[in-house]
Amino acid sequence: MNKIKNILNKNNLSREDMKYIFKLEDKNQLQYLYDYAYQIKEKYVDKKVYFRGIVEFSNICEKDCYYCGIRKSNSNMDRYTMDEKEIIEAAQWAYENEYGSLVLQSGERTDNEYVEFVEELLKKIKSIGDGALGITLSLGEQSYDTYRRWYEAGAHRYLLRIETSSKRLYEKLHPSNHNFKSRFQCLQNLREIGYQVGTGVMIGLPYQKVGNMVDDVEFYRKFNIDMVGMGPYLKHMDTPLAKKVINFDEKKQLQLGLKIIALTRIVMKDINIAATTALQALNPVGRELGLKAGANVVMPNITDKKYREYYKLYENKPCIDEESKECRSCLKKRVESIGEKVGFNEWGDSPHYFKRISQKE
Ligand code: 5AD
Ligand code: FES
């Protein structure tokens, strides 16, 4: 027990300290870690959870990532794209139900028709409640110009996971036409244009070493990230990477997911960190555990129920049979069950972002 206390008492954690934490199995020490991270969360971002209603509006994807269920080569998946009316309806629902922000996510497409579709969509969503909804995009790698157009149309946050900060590991998880450097360049472009930038990784991946996990946390720090969405790797039967997994240990995956949340909170302090759905795929109270380990954002699914099962990045995706309103009350209850409240009607941008901006001026 003393060891973890000594580590967390330091101002800056060394690589060795972080490695120790990623390898830690002792229950009491782990609880100490989560509680410590929770105190930092309370101090820097409050015991308040922000909801971002997520619309997964299309599962058509040009990419072929080895881990992802909606990869281009997966012919076992029926493809869909919601039409504008359906997406606007979901956004309207989010507004009426006091969700301060919206996330638009889809498979990756870069053709003109798609870029324009999103641009028009953004303008229409922005007109709901006179700009009431904050909009986060999670639409993958795009050109500088596309990012700029979407920013000007009303999006102000962008989530683009780097997936892993190790170029070597990145190349093992993707075909050769997927490029680590371009992905990193996208993050820089987004920052330059003015977005609040979020990134993230998967943890518990085949080939991933403890040192890679430490590098991931270091990556958030060096890039001075405003928000993070990350989670444990989960298998999807119809993907090449699933075949490389020998022993899939759900408990360990969940634990890794919680450890990286706690460490990220300890290192970055005032950023926004999502308790992702992947945590709940591993444990019915996974998202609550994420919040207890330092996360402060949840992304309730507001996609029309008829599409949910087709947006399957991994197996056991929760909330496939629920309607948006069921997820709302379910998640509200979950948040309240751990003594926190939901920041309804607030955009909930991270204090880190405001600090970063004011230091720049
Ligand atoms: N397990 C966990 N996360 C996954 N993602 C894609 N496939 C998986 C999987 N099998 C994550 C990626 C991507 C995000 C939208 O979903 O990190 O960036
Ligand atoms: Fe969807 Fe609980 S969040 S049912």
Side-chain angles (χ1 to χ4, degrees):
M1 197 65 179
N2 279 338
K3 176 107 192 207
I4 189 80
K5 280 189 187 164
N6 289 341
I7 288 179
L8 295 175
N9 266 335
K10 297 182 191 173
N11 271 336
N12 289 311
L13 303 190
S14 68
R15 287 188 68 82
E16 285 316 306
D17 295 335
M18 289 204 234
K19 276 191 180 170
Y20 175 82
I21 289 173
F22 278 123
K23 288 185 191 156
L24 193 58
E25 300 218 354
D26 178 80
K27 265 191 161 173
N28 293 330
Q29 292 197 56
L30 279 175
Q31 196 53 52
Y32 190 88
L33 168 75
Y34 302 146
D35 292 346
Y36 185 88
Y38 194 75
Q39 278 175 27
I40 299 205
K41 161 176 155 174
E42 252 188 295
K43 184 167 165 199
Y44 287 87
V45 296
D46 205 358
K47 282 164 69 171
K48 199 194 259 181
V49 180
Y50 297 106
F51 278 6
R52 321 274 191 231
I54 181 163
V55 193
E56 300 158 339
F57 68 83
S58 173
N59 66 354
I60 298 176
C61 195
E62 288 168 4
K63 289 283 186 79
D64 224 3
C65 309
Y66 294 150
Y67 44 84
C68 185
I70 66 168
R71 64 197 299 268
K72 181 168 100 187
S73 301
N74 182 8
S75 51
N76 263 339
M77 174 79 74
D78 287 331
R79 305 285 168 167
Y80 73 91
T81 300
M82 288 166 67
D83 63 30
E84 188 182 271
K85 187 167 158 277
E86 290 173 308
I87 305 172
I88 301 287
E89 264 167 25
Q92 184 70 33
W93 185 91
Y95 171 61
E96 283 162 15
N97 283 275
E98 304 174 290
Y99 287 9
S101 300
L102 201 69
V103 180
L104 296 178
Q105 192 176 78
S106 81
E108 206 168 295
R109 263 179 70 183
T110 51
D111 55 283
N112 250 333
E113 193 191 335
Y114 175 82
V115 172
E116 271 168 32
F117 174 74
V118 173
E119 189 176 26
E120 287 312 306
L121 197 61
L122 288 168
K123 290 183 190 155
K124 293 203 170 114
I125 295 175
K126 264 295 153 196
S127 70
I128 298 176
D130 213 8
L133 288 168
I135 308 177
T136 307
L137 297 180
S138 176
L139 308 175
E141 288 175 47
Q142 302 287 342
S143 69
Y144 193 97
D145 191 51
T146 298
Y147 284 150
R148 193 185 44 72
R149 278 170 65 182
W150 290 347
Y151 183 76
E152 283 169 4
H156 82 291
R157 308 185 187 110
Y158 205 103
L159 278 175
L160 181 73
R161 291 189 180 181
I162 192 76
E163 312 297 359
T164 168
S165 59
S166 154
K167 183 169 177 292
R168 182 199 63 87
L169 181 54
Y170 188 91
E171 285 165 2
K172 280 189 164 283
L173 304 174
H174 301 90
S176 56
N177 60 347
H178 294 36
N179 189 295
F180 180 78
K181 264 197 176 158
S182 324
R183 200 161 180 88
F184 181 67
Q185 186 60 50
C186 282
L187 286 174
Q188 285 184 312
N189 293 349
L190 289 162
R191 166 76 52 88
E192 193 178 298
I193 291 166
Y195 284 96
Q196 287 176 43
V197 183
T199 191
V201 297
M202 286 175 287
I203 191 160
L205 288 157
Y207 317 113
Q208 192 179 34
K209 302 199 174 84
V210 171
N212 298 137
M213 304 177 190
V214 174
D215 289 338
D216 291 341
V217 179
E218 284 290 304
F219 178 82
Y220 301 151
R221 195 175 56 77
K222 282 193 202 126
F223 195 71
N224 199 10
I225 206 76
D226 300 314
M227 48 194 201
V228 173
M230 59 193 162
Y233 162 69
L234 298 162
K235 285 191 299 181
H236 188 297
M237 242 166 17
D238 300 321
T239 62
L241 196 68
K243 299 179 181 76
K244 309 280 178 203
V245 181
I246 307 148
N247 282 322
F248 191 78
D249 182 341
E250 295 196 348
K251 251 184 148 169
K252 195 166 161 230
Q253 292 302 94
L254 177 69
Q255 201 175 73
L256 281 172
L258 298 176
K259 283 175 178 174
I260 196 163
I261 288 178
L263 269 177
T264 304
R265 175 60 68 202
I266 291 165
V267 172
M268 298 300 291
K269 298 197 167 47
D270 55 356
I271 63 168
N272 279 344
I273 304 177
T276 51
T277 318
L279 294 170
Q280 200 181 323
L282 291 167
N283 184 308
V285 292
R287 281 194 270 193
E288 288 91 314
L289 294 173
L291 295 173
K292 293 292 276 178
N296 68 325
V297 167
V298 173
M299 291 155 58
N301 199 326
I302 58 166
T303 313
D304 194 298
K305 194 172 141 185
K306 69 172 182 271
Y307 297 117
R308 290 190 183 192
E309 65 175 303
Y310 302 108
Y311 200 84
K312 222 180 198 176
L313 311 177
Y314 45 74
E315 285 156 27
N316 297 326
K317 180 188 178 189
C319 304
I320 284 188
D321 298 318
E322 279 78 10
E323 303 277 359
S324 303
K325 63 173 186 302
E326 293 173 76
C327 288
R328 184 186 190 274
S329 58
C330 167
L331 280 173
K332 183 168 176 284
K333 254 187 254 154
R334 286 169 187 266
V335 166
E336 287 164 359
S337 78
I338 57 163
E340 300 203 13
K341 58 176 187 286
V342 180
F344 282 119
N345 285 324
E346 289 181 60
W347 280 17
D349 294 317
S350 73
H352 190 86
Y353 166 73
F354 294 114
K355 216 188 282 163
R356 188 168 64 72
I357 292 301
S358 69
Q359 278 163 1
K360 232 171 86 182
E361 279 160 3

